[in-house]
Amino acid sequence: MSLKLTEDRVESLIDTLNALICEEQLLTREQRENMVRTVATLGGLSERARLIQAEKDALKQARTEKTPKKPREYYPAFPRTGVKWTEEDLNLIHSVIDDLPDEQIDNHVSWLSERQGRTPYAIALKIAGEGRLDKEWAKKWKQAAKDLREPNTAQNKTVD
């Protein structure tokens, strides 16, 4: 049989031990000192349990409070940003990369980006997700996508 040591049970145990400690005729000096140490240990356990529960509650609260998603910005060069990938999109990627050695895939990412209306980074992530290369390789395309977006953003601001 296993008893769960709850905060209420620890508090009750501390109260009981304190009552015994205060009773002069029941305990010797050595027994009383041992019980005082036990009460101190239980107090520490109680505080630790309280802190652990507070951390759990804070983590649970943080998980439930999601930060609102940033709305997607529209870039004329990448009109399909945020659009769900279709089977045709994947077929086009596979028709280009399947027969290529890994070191030649870089030469086709920009073309696939233009053809599919997505950022080079999105294309690179999809290639990595399809099992070719890895996410570290895809990260180098993040800056390329940013560089391509910035001229479009500047043009949009001058038109407004």
Side-chain angles (χ1 to χ4, degrees):
M1 183 172 147
S2 172
L3 288 176
K4 187 172 182 177
L5 198 58
T6 64
E7 190 175 343
D8 290 338
R9 285 186 177 165
V10 170
E11 292 300 322
S12 174
L13 187 55
I14 289 173
D15 290 342
T16 302
L17 290 174
N18 277 330
L20 288 172
I21 291 169
C22 291
E23 196 60 46
E24 295 279 330
Q25 284 80 22
L26 289 178
L27 304 172
T28 66
R29 179 179 173 87
E30 184 180 339
Q31 290 171 327
R32 188 172 284 107
E33 287 173 0
N34 285 335
M35 284 202 180
V36 167
R37 287 188 198 105
T38 303
V39 168
T41 301
L42 288 171
L45 281 174
S46 178
E47 181 62 17
R48 183 171 182 215
R50 189 189 65 72
L51 290 173
I52 289 171
Q53 188 59 46
E55 286 176 13
K56 286 180 183 178
D57 292 345
L59 282 174
K60 187 176 179 181
Q61 182 69 22
R63 286 185 194 129
T64 58
E65 292 177 4
K66 293 184 179 178
T67 55
K69 280 190 171 182
K70 178 181 157 187
R72 293 202 185 267
E73 295 182 39
Y74 178 76
Y75 297 99
F78 310 118
R80 296 192 60 225
T81 297
V83 175
K84 192 171 185 164
W85 291 86
T86 65
E87 194 63 37
E88 294 81 30
D89 294 336
L90 297 177
N91 288 340
L92 178 60
I93 289 174
H94 282 288
S95 71
V96 172
I97 69 166
D98 281 351
D99 296 328
L100 289 176
D102 289 350
E103 57 274 358
Q104 290 184 11
I105 291 176
D106 281 342
N107 301 334
H108 300 278
V109 172
S110 294
W111 180 83
L112 283 166
S113 168
E114 290 174 21
R115 177 77 180 211
Q116 293 194 345
R118 297 178 186 274
T119 66
Y121 183 53
I123 298 293
L125 283 175
K126 185 50 76 174
I127 290 170
E130 292 293 307
R132 289 295 299 269
L133 303 169
D134 59 16
K135 289 191 178 190
E136 285 303 312
W137 166 82
K139 282 183 183 178
K140 70 180 179 180
W141 288 98
K142 196 170 192 173
Q143 185 60 43
K146 187 176 180 183
D147 292 344
L148 289 170
R149 278 189 186 128
E150 288 177 0
N152 292 330
T153 304
Q155 288 174 356
N156 289 341
K157 287 182 181 175
T158 58
V159 171
D160 291 341

